[in-house]
Amino acid sequence: MSAQPDHAPATGYAPAPGAPAELLAQLRADRRATTWVPAFEREWAAALDESRRTFSLAALYEVVQVWQGRVAAAPAVDAFVASGYDDSDFIDMAELRGRRR
């Protein structure tokens, strides 16, 4: 028998108590702040509503984890875009599936 209720998903990730505030400060300092801050705040508000409704912190943890990943990946994405990548060899899977018929 499990000690956790069936409806509470077990999460292996629990951010530090100050992580959301630190993350928001990072987002505000980023050049993408005009789009990232409102998006984070919307997702955080939705997760907070869900948390109040379900008595679970999982949604809040997920928002922090996803945004930490976005912030961490941003320099690599910027470098890729700045490299002048050539996506002309992109394969359109829908087109490819259409050819098989």
Side-chain angles (χ1 to χ4, degrees), residues 9-89:
T11 179
Y13 172 79
E22 292 172 12
L23 180 58
L24 187 55
Q26 282 182 297
L27 295 175
R28 286 183 175 145
D30 195 276
R31 66 178 177 81
R32 301 168 193 84
T34 57
T35 55
W36 278 15
V37 170
F40 173 80
E41 289 174 341
R42 277 191 307 273
E43 291 179 26
W44 183 259
L48 192 56
D49 286 342
E50 182 178 335
S51 178
R52 287 179 181 137
R53 195 175 62 255
T54 62
F55 297 99
S56 171
L57 298 175
L60 294 169
Y61 291 174
E62 182 179 358
V63 169
V64 171
Q65 187 174 21
V66 165
W67 278 95
Q68 285 174 334
R70 288 176 181 158
V71 169
V77 171
D78 289 343
F80 177 71
V81 170
S83 72
Y85 65 92
D86 178 16
D87 64 352
S88 62
D89 61 345

